[in-house]
């Protein structure tokens, strides 16, 4: 078993029309032993930007503290919030710094960029190599199922309600055949007006 699969996870981010969504499962386990079903895997950067992590939970929490420190320094120096594209560069550089003994996490970033609130999605691997998506990005222990569900359900220019429904169905269907992820889900929809968060009840077996 890969160390990236040790705790289990499923993260999906998806673009809509002037909105973007990011969803994760809620399981925290050690291999096939489930310890809790309310693990937070998606963190708010600011009102229009979120980051989700798949991989090792201990590294996730360490990395989140490092990002929070760097974000606070950025706010003090620049006196504004960081753009999603700049935050992706920050994430990538911090991960690449540790490439010889990496953090075992794969972040997924979702947000709205600039005054036009352009949807933005990116993801990196554990050494910070970024990928920028025009439709959706996934990470976790069962990315084949998640990709298949995304490709089946995704359509461009969805409104926030359609985006929530699509993300929820994608996450639940993608997790159904993964023993290491699941046990509930959470979906965040980011719009120019604010963020909507909804919790999903899923199979617990």
């Amino acid at each position: 078993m890969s160390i990236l699969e040790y705790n289990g996870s499923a993260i999906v981010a998806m673009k809509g029309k002037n909105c973007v969504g990011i969803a994760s499962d809620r399981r925290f386990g050690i291999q096939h032993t489930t310890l809790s079903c309310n693990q937070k895997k998606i963190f708010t950067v600011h009102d229009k930007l979120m980051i989700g992590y798949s991989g090792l939970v201990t590294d996730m929490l360490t990395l989140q503290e490092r990002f929070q420190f760097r974000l606070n320094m950025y706010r003090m120096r620049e006196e504004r919030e960081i753009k999603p594209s700049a935050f992706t560069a920050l994430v990538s550089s911090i991960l690449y710094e540790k490439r010889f003994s990496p953090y075992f996490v794969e972040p997924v970033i979702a947000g709205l960029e600039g005054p036009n609130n352009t949807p933005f999605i990116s993801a990196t691997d554990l050494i910070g190599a970024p990928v920028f998506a025009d439709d959706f990005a996934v990470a976790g222990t069962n990315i084949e199922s998640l990709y298949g569900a995304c490709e089946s359900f995704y359509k461009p220019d969805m409104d926030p309600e359609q985006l929530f429904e699509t993300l929820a169905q994608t996450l639940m269907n993608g997790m159904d055949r993964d023993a290491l992820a699941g046990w509930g889900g959470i979906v965040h929809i980011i719009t120019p007006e604010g963020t909507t968060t909804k919790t999903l009840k899923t199979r617990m077996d």
Side-chain angles (χ1 to χ4, degrees), residues 78-125:
E78 301 288 333
E79 296 182 354
R80 61 188 170 91
E81 295 292 0
I82 195 167
K83 292 193 297 185
S85 54
F87 183 62
T88 300
L90 172 67
V91 169
S92 183
S93 68
I94 287 176
L95 289 171
Y96 191 69
E97 277 176 13
K98 297 282 188 180
R99 62 193 178 279
F100 297 117
S101 55
Y103 293 108
F104 294 108
V105 293
E106 293 180 335
V108 176
I109 296 156
L112 299 175
E113 174 116 3
N116 297 327
N117 294 306
T118 308
F120 179 94
I121 285 174
S122 67
T124 80
D125 66 2

Side-chain angles (χ1 to χ4, degrees), residues 7-71:
N7 296 129
S9 57
I11 309 284
V12 187
M14 198 174 280
K15 286 185 179 180
K17 187 174 184 180
N18 294 328
C19 60
V20 69
I22 184 167
S24 80
D25 70 318
R26 304 185 74 195
R27 178 185 182 272
F28 169 59
I30 293 176
Q31 295 182 343
H32 292 284
T33 305
T34 299
L35 300 180
S36 77
C37 53
N38 60 356
Q39 176 65 45
K40 185 177 182 181
K41 298 178 184 178
I42 298 173
F43 296 84
T44 301
V45 177
H46 57 73
D47 291 345
K48 295 182 180 179
L49 181 58
M50 287 185 156
I51 180 169
Y53 303 89
S54 75
L56 201 61
V57 169
T58 48
D59 281 1
M60 173 187 83
L61 298 173
T62 303
L63 206 50
Q64 178 57 26
E65 287 186 359
R66 285 200 67 188
F67 291 153
Q68 196 59 57
F69 169 74
R70 295 289 286 271
L71 285 164

